[in-house]
Amino acid sequence: MTTIKACIFDLDGVIVDTAVYHYKAWKRLANELGFDITEAQNENLKGVSRMASLDLILGWGGVTKTEAEKEQLADQKNTWYVDMINKMTPDEILPGATEFLQACLDAGLKTALGSASKNAGIILEKTGITHFFNAIIDGNKVSKPKPDPEVFLKGAEELSIPAENCVVFEDAIAGVEAAHNGGMKAVGIGSPQVLTEADLVVSGLDKMTIEKLKTL
Ligand code: B16
Ligand code: MG
């Protein structure tokens, strides 16, 4: 059993569901390039960085682009995506997320955000939850994508809590792997059939309690 002193949260799929906005923007880009992407394909983009997502999409469409063209395409997608997330409201926070964040703080635990997104700051601001986090690590602060543990290790470092006393909440397989690679516990948010390596799986933060942290 581990003493948990800090909780580190992934953003997309754990606190909010921005996958639908990523999908709309990527689909529009693919359509302009002359092909389409499906919702099933979009599943493979969750937790994957912007440029790595673009590489996957261009591969599915059988399209080759230069590095400079890819930068331009990624910028275009991001402009459409940011237009959508700028309209987000607190109603879009997933069930139980603010309640569990508050319960962590009330229990004296530290909290951090550990997201691959360079737009995490806008999302936290628009949904009104920035103040729940003692540290915010996003895609602007890291260079190595999950399953590399960089994003979570930086979170632990900013909180001054040893990795072994941290637990990560993640909806992506690569995120659970990243937590373990960093020597942290991982609570999967989603299905136990998918997140097989997680130390505990719940369907959402509405099913999470401080008591359950004691079982890790
Ligand atoms: P951006 P997370 C990830 O967020 C998303 O799941 C993924 O679909 C996205 O491509 C990535 O952020 C980068 O986002 O283009 O906004 O920098 O799950 O790590 O919170
Ligand atoms: Mg995620």
Side-chain angles (χ1 to χ4, degrees), residues 10-12 22 45 47-48 50 53 115-119 146:
D10 172 50
L11 181 61
D12 186 18
H22 282 295
L45 305 178
V48 176
R50 195 180 307 165
S53 298
S115 167
S117 175
K118 291 186 171 162
N119 297 301
K146 300 165 189 177

Side-chain angles (χ1 to χ4, degrees), residues 84-96:
M84 288 186 274
I85 58 170
N86 263 323
K87 296 188 190 96
M88 284 181 84
T89 68
D91 291 347
E92 290 178 70
I93 298 169
L94 289 172

Side-chain angles (χ1 to χ4, degrees), residues 18-29 36-43 45 77 81 84:
T18 47
V20 53
Y21 302 129
H22 282 295
Y23 178 51
K24 280 188 186 164
W26 283 129
K27 193 178 173 71
R28 182 167 171 189
L29 191 79
D36 201 12
I37 58 167
T38 64
E39 266 183 76
Q41 283 173 317
N42 188 56
E43 283 300 305
L45 305 178
K77 177 265 172 180
Y81 175 69
M84 288 186 274

